[in-house]
Amino acid sequence: VKTFFRGCVWTRFLGFGVDPALRVDVFGELRLGDAFAGVSQVPGFHNDTRAFLFQDTARDVKSSADATERILQKLRNKKEFTVLATVKQETLNSGVILSIHRSEQRFLELESSGQRNEIRLHYRTQGQQPHTEVFPYTLADDQWHKVSVALSASHILLHVDCNRIYERVVEPPSMDFPEETSIWLGQRNSAHGLFKGVMQDVQLLVMPQGYISQCPDLNRTCPTCNDFHGLVQKIMELQDILAKTSSKLSKAEEKMNGLDRCYCERTCSVKGVLYREDESWTDGCKNCTCSNGTALCEPISCVPPVCPPDSAPAYVPGRCCQECQPVCLFRKRVYVEGEKQALRDSSGKCLLFECRDRTMHRVAPSICPELNCAESEQMTLPDRCCNVCRGHDFCAEGHCCAEHSECISLETGPRCRCRDGFRSLRDDEAYCEDIDECAEGRHYCRENTVCVNTPGSFMCICHAGYIRIDDYSCTEHNECASGQHSCDENALCFNTVGGHSCSCKPGYTGNGTICKALCDGLCQNGGTCVSPDTCICQQGFTGKRCETDIDECSSGFVECDSRATCINLPGWYHCECRDGYHDNGMFSANGESCEDIDECGTGRNSCANDTVCFNLEGGYDCRCPHGKNCTGDCIHDNKVKHNGQIWVLENDRCSVCSCQSGLVMCRRMVCDCDNPTVDLFCCPECDPRHSSQCLHQNGLLAYSTGASWVESCQQCQCLQGEVDCWPLSCPPVDCEFTLIPEGECCPRCVTDPCQADTIRNDITKTCTDEHGLVRFSGSSWIKHGTECTLCQCKNGHVCCSVDPMCL
């Protein structure tokens, strides 16, 4: 189906968004709802569409075999696709949004880490090597976000809330899925990567720039069918409002006919104003009526005004609906009454014009204040002559956001946004009304509770005689606390609504009512158990259970340059530049590439105004000029700190700084676990609660909060009951051909290009195949006369091997 509109061809975006042949609705394929424990339907972020709450409980949200095959069939061998999701993730939660994997092979997995404030995309390259692309971004902040990750061959784009966050060139992914590949939503498997929060509109689009369907107004010149659908939706909403208004008017007429039988009059008191029976008034964008002592309010239905040619519809302060306002035609552009435009003449002087009485009048510009930011951080705005600093607070200049609407400063001006739990009454969100989640069924209060609406939210109140389990559930009895349960003595009991559940303790296996002990031959840090009590350790670890990291730094195995210090990593090491030095970009393995930082020249010093900065090798000194009596004070975050003063960082409550003779010294807070008032947020390793422990990936070992370990070339850490893993740090390698040996995690240099996993392709180096044809570096072909011999050109070297697809 093709539709031509103003020179644009709509071939992909149809109906409600995208051609169904290119779209995978994950919710629809998995048939979420009552079919999965731990998942319940809740109100969504927009358009009254459905969303699902993923709770902190045991769950298995996995697609069926038929659904998996349908999804993989659309993705198989595709080079362009987009992952879309709208999420509201709990703070500090580290969970998987969507995972397509088989055993430890992750073909496509989108993960959000609230512990390290990262978004991670895991996939396998065309060479079948695991790859993780990490985007530093805080997604787990208990706020709604629209996320889009689009891949087109080797190009990747990350959008969050319709803003382009990252654009990178990466190794192309492989969408070649073997048998027994599974698809999980909100988790990696039954025990790990559990996403906590709400998800909505999780989709896979087999097309480039699929983020346009999530953000139809983003970076495009042609309208989509989404625009038409939005118009139809608005018309349907207006028709619904009209029907409700007509019904209420009919009821009002019936009540008015019965006024003659009334002998008393009940009044309404709203915001300190007294209204008589049947008296009407306007409250923001709502028409209200006093009926039997209760104020009944309905949103105002605005009809788009039909304006004469010399006017245009616009919002007027204090009015809800748009009204016709005089306009000015100035330099082939239309301006509304009161709108301003700044121009510069040939000499560079700024001229400010304002539309008044259908004519652009010149306005005397005000005196520009002095800005405290660099010129590169200054912004020029079209409606004023004075520049502002990037991040300027436009809301402080005044705004028209009414009750339940908050002002937010964008890059070029202010904008209104409804608070959580409120919906907009007009398109600019200047007026908002409370959402009655209880009356509309948009809550998730469970058994034995009653929903009570509150401004912007709701509460689940327990019925009399019931005790609370969590914010949404109540139960009549706690079998776990009373001992009246069926759990094995080696199992943990969890109280639930109307009953309880059992789970075997770490080191035991079974269904919870019967638990049997496992052997204790557990291999840590990625070690492999080859026989009882015998572990083969990965490189960099030793010990009977591979529990001991080999400290290459203390063993004398590594000699770093004097400007660098050896940093031991789990299973590895590297030479890191000392304080006061930074790498010059050559990345020498032993630290020879570290060079001194001129803190005085670069401004990276904290010398007070009355001292002079002198650069030193690996540092700097704040010296008092001869003849002066210096105070030794420091400048930190543009504030004066007195000599000897100690303070806690405003943006990091876990760091303490002090001013010592003009120098600022900062360090992390020292954790004293014996102190009963220790801050568990800064010192999670001091948390003694059993609920803060984590279960190892193999399900047989428990870690206390704060513990860390290495598993499958990933650094893992347990923090407050959640496991978070990220790629293991590897030392940089500066060579043309690299190989990751079997059983190791980091690449090593090799001289034979045919053994290399990764090469730096140089398009100037070519190969000649068996036909004498020139092949560019990085290209591959099937050797003539064979079916299974795959040849590749690797920087001028022809490398042939048996095609794995033939095995």
Side-chain angles (χ1 to χ4, degrees):
V1 178
K2 292 188 178 181
T3 303
F4 292 86
F5 180 78
R6 294 185 182 178
C8 303
V9 184
W10 295 352
T11 59
R12 295 178 180 268
F13 295 91
L14 305 173
F16 285 82
V18 180
D19 184 350
L22 306 175
R23 175 177 176 265
V24 176
D25 180 4
V26 179
F27 283 178
E29 291 288 353
L30 269 66
R31 297 183 179 178
L32 285 184
D34 297 334
F36 293 97
V39 180
S40 57
Q41 186 168 338
V42 297
F45 169 60
H46 55 78
N47 296 336
D48 292 329
T49 52
R50 61 176 182 168
F52 290 93
L53 172 68
F54 289 74
Q55 296 169 308
D56 185 11
T57 182
R59 59 176 188 257
D60 290 298
V61 186
K62 178 182 177 183
S63 65
S64 64
D66 293 341
T68 299
E69 182 56 33
R70 286 195 300 269
I71 296 174
L72 297 184
Q73 190 62 33
K74 290 187 177 182
L75 290 175
R76 190 168 278 119
N77 297 324
K78 294 297 189 297
K79 296 183 179 180
E80 295 180 325
F81 57 88
T82 306
V83 183
L84 302 175
T86 302
V87 299
K88 183 179 182 183
Q89 186 178 7
E90 290 185 9
T91 305
L92 298 180
N93 168 246
S94 295
V96 170
I97 297 174
L98 180 69
S99 179
I100 302 178
H101 68 272
R102 175 177 179 248
S103 185
E104 296 298 324
Q105 298 177 335
R106 293 184 281 191
F107 299 101
L108 182 62
E109 180 176 296
L110 183 60
E111 179 185 15
S112 170
S113 171
Q115 299 287 358
R116 294 177 61 84
N117 296 324
E118 294 174 346
I119 299 175
R120 305 178 190 134
L121 182 70
H122 307 277
Y123 63 87
R124 295 187 74 82
T125 64
Q126 293 182 352
Q128 295 303 312
Q129 295 296 321
H131 180 79
T132 300
E133 197 66 26
V134 179
F135 305 99
Y137 193 88
T138 304
L139 198 62
D141 57 0
D142 206 24
Q143 301 292 326
W144 280 105
H145 294 289
K146 292 191 289 186
V147 185
S148 165
V149 180
L151 282 99
S152 179
S154 60
H155 195 70
I156 186 170
L157 277 171
L158 171 66
H159 285 80
V160 180
D161 298 328
C162 298
N163 296 310
R164 181 175 296 186
I165 306 300
Y166 291 101
E167 183 173 358
R168 297 178 182 173
V169 175
V170 298
E171 292 190 64
S174 171
M175 292 291 104
D176 183 16
F177 307 105
E179 294 183 0
E180 299 181 0
T181 298
S182 59
I183 301 177
W184 297 72
L185 181 65
Q187 59 193 112
R188 180 174 299 117
N189 48 46
S190 299
H192 294 95
L194 296 180
F195 176 91
K196 300 175 185 177
V198 185
M199 272 198 275
Q200 177 180 350
D201 297 339
V202 181
Q203 300 180 39
L204 289 167
L205 305 183
V206 188
M207 57 183 292
Q209 299 181 346
Y211 54 83
I212 295 179
S213 68
Q214 190 183 62
C215 307
D217 298 321
L218 178 64
N219 190 24
R220 61 187 177 91
T221 57
C222 299
T224 69
C225 290
N226 254 356
D227 301 48
F228 177 74
H229 169 62
L231 180 61
V232 172
Q233 188 72 19
K234 287 294 183 183
I235 293 175
M236 294 174 63
E237 291 176 1
L238 290 173
Q239 289 176 338
D240 184 53
I241 294 174
L242 179 60
K244 290 181 178 179
T245 303
S246 299
S247 175
K248 290 187 177 296
L249 285 174
S250 177
K251 292 181 179 179
E253 289 177 356
E254 293 178 3
K255 291 186 177 181
M256 289 179 64
N257 293 332
L259 286 178
D260 293 338
R261 297 189 298 270
C262 295
Y263 298 97
C264 60
E265 181 181 58
R266 301 186 64 181
T267 59
C268 303
S269 178
V270 179
K271 298 180 181 179
V273 179
L274 196 65
Y275 298 95
R276 302 186 62 181
E277 180 73 11
D278 292 330
E279 185 177 356
S280 299
W281 68 96
T282 299
D283 185 3
C285 272
K286 294 183 291 185
N287 284 330
C288 301
T289 303
C290 181
S291 175
N292 198 25
T294 302
L296 302 178
C297 298
E298 287 289 338
I300 294 176
S301 178
C302 295
V303 178
V306 179
C307 300
D310 59 347
S311 63
Y315 286 115
V316 179
R319 303 291 183 86
C320 180
C321 300
Q322 290 184 332
E323 299 179 1
C324 294
Q325 295 295 306
V327 297
C328 305
L329 183 61
F330 183 62
R331 293 198 173 190
K332 297 183 179 181
R333 183 184 163 186
V334 175
Y335 294 84
V336 182
E337 180 79 6
E339 192 173 358
K340 296 180 180 180
Q341 177 64 51
L343 302 173
R344 295 191 179 274
D345 58 16
S346 58
S347 65
K349 181 180 178 182
C350 182
L351 306 177
L352 188 63
F353 295 88
E354 182 180 3
C355 178
R356 295 198 305 266
D357 299 328
R358 295 182 172 84
T359 304
M360 295 297 287
H361 297 271
R362 185 173 172 180
V363 180
S366 57
I367 300 176
C368 297
E370 184 178 352
L371 301 180
N372 58 356
C373 59
E375 186 174 351
S376 61
E377 291 296 315
Q378 297 180 13
M379 297 174 54
T380 301
L381 301 178
D383 60 347
R384 62 180 72 184
C385 287
C386 298
N387 290 350
V388 298
C389 291
R390 193 176 302 276
H392 178 72
D393 187 2
F394 294 98
C395 295
E397 300 177 352
H399 57 83
C400 59
C401 303
E403 187 181 9
H404 308 315
S405 177
E406 59 183 357
C407 178
I408 57 174
S409 280
L410 302 180
E411 189 171 281
T412 58
R415 180 190 170 209
C416 297
R417 181 176 63 185
C418 290
R419 301 182 186 274
D420 287 344
F422 297 87
R423 67 162 62 92
S424 177
L425 290 173
R426 71 183 200 188
D427 52 8
D428 61 355
E429 298 191 39
Y431 290 88
C432 307
E433 67 171 348
D434 176 48
I435 299 174
D436 190 343
E437 295 85 355
C438 300
E440 299 181 10
R442 302 175 64 175
H443 64 88
Y444 30 95
C445 295
R446 303 188 65 183
E447 296 88 346
N448 307 318
T449 65
V450 59
C451 179
V452 176
N453 186 59
T454 60
S457 184
F458 64 93
M459 295 176 59
C460 303
I461 306 300
C462 291
H463 289 315
Y466 289 82
I467 59 174
R468 181 172 299 281
I469 295 179
D470 51 36
D471 289 343
Y472 316 107
S473 308
C474 301
T475 185
E476 77 288 355
H477 188 63
N478 189 337
E479 292 91 346
C480 297
S482 64
Q484 298 175 353
H485 59 79
S486 59
C487 300
D488 188 271
E489 62 178 356
N490 294 314
L492 300 175
C493 179
F494 299 95
N495 195 58
T496 61
V497 176
H500 65 278
S501 63
C502 306
S503 179
C504 292
K505 293 180 180 178
Y508 295 85
T509 183
N511 59 8
T513 57
I514 300 176
C515 298
K516 296 181 179 180
L518 292 171
C519 68
D520 60 354
L522 302 178
C523 303
Q524 303 178 23
N525 296 313
T528 303
C529 182
V530 295
S531 62
D533 272 355
T534 304
C535 296
I536 295 181
C537 303
Q538 288 193 358
Q539 181 182 4
F541 294 95
T542 186
K544 186 177 180 180
R545 300 285 181 266
C546 303
E547 73 280 2
T548 304
D549 170 48
I550 299 175
D551 190 344
E552 294 85 356
C553 298
S554 62
S555 63
F557 176 75
V558 182
E559 286 190 12
C560 294
D561 188 86
S562 60
R563 294 163 293 183
T565 181
C566 183
I567 303 296
N568 184 57
L569 296 172
W572 200 248
Y573 67 91
H574 74 99
C575 294
E576 185 177 89
C577 295
R578 296 180 183 273
D579 290 341
Y581 296 91
H582 69 103
D583 198 280
N584 59 13
M586 302 303 293
F587 299 108
S588 175
N590 64 353
E592 291 181 352
S593 55
C594 296
E595 62 181 21
D596 176 56
I597 299 174
D598 185 0
E599 293 86 356
C600 301
T602 60
R604 296 172 57 180
N605 65 82
S606 57
C607 293
N609 295 332
D610 55 359
T611 61
V612 178
C613 178
F614 285 86
N615 186 58
L616 303 175
E617 184 70 19
Y620 65 94
D621 189 15
C622 301
R623 300 179 183 177
C624 184
H626 182 70
K628 285 191 176 182
N629 182 18
C630 298
T631 62
D633 292 343
C634 307
I635 302 297
H636 186 262
D637 288 341
N638 297 322
K639 297 179 181 179
V640 177
K641 302 294 184 181
H642 298 297
N643 187 20
Q645 183 177 352
I646 300 175
W647 67 96
V648 177
L649 291 180
E650 294 181 359
N651 57 353
D652 184 4
R653 75 186 198 194
C654 302
S655 294
V656 179
C657 298
S658 63
C659 176
Q660 301 176 8
S661 301
L663 298 178
V664 175
M665 310 294 289
C666 296
R667 60 176 176 82
R668 293 287 293 178
M669 182 183 298
V670 178
C671 294
D672 181 9
C673 296
D674 294 331
N675 185 356
T677 62
V678 64
D679 189 346
L680 296 181
F681 178 84
C682 302
C683 304
E685 64 271 19
C686 299
D687 193 344
R689 295 174 296 181
H690 184 73
S691 59
S692 297
Q693 293 184 343
C694 301
L695 199 63
H696 187 270
Q697 287 94 322
N698 57 26
L700 307 178
L701 187 65
Y703 287 99
S704 60
T705 182
S708 60
W709 66 96
V710 173
E711 179 74 20
S712 300
C713 296
Q714 294 191 102
Q715 176 74 51
C716 299
Q717 188 176 24
C718 172
L719 286 176
Q720 299 174 343
E722 292 189 4
V723 176
D724 190 18
C725 299
W726 56 93
L728 191 66
S729 299
C730 289
V733 288
D734 187 12
C735 53
E736 188 176 9
F737 308 107
T738 60
L739 167 70
I740 301 179
E742 186 177 356
E744 296 188 16
C745 301
C746 296
R748 297 191 179 187
C749 295
V750 294
T751 57
D752 185 359
C754 294
Q755 294 181 356
D757 294 329
T758 307
I759 62 174
R760 295 179 181 175
N761 281 318
D762 184 353
I763 61 174
T764 63
K765 296 181 180 180
T766 59
C767 304
T768 303
D769 65 11
E770 60 273 13
H771 295 289
L773 297 176
V774 176
R775 303 276 186 173
F776 289 104
S777 181
S779 63
S780 60
W781 67 96
I782 299 296
K783 188 174 182 180
H784 178 69
T786 68
E787 294 181 355
C788 295
T789 302
L790 179 66
C791 297
Q792 290 181 290
C793 179
K794 295 185 176 182
N795 282 6
H797 301 270
V798 177
C799 303
C800 297
S801 60
V802 178
D803 190 349
M805 299 298 294
C806 295
L807 299 178

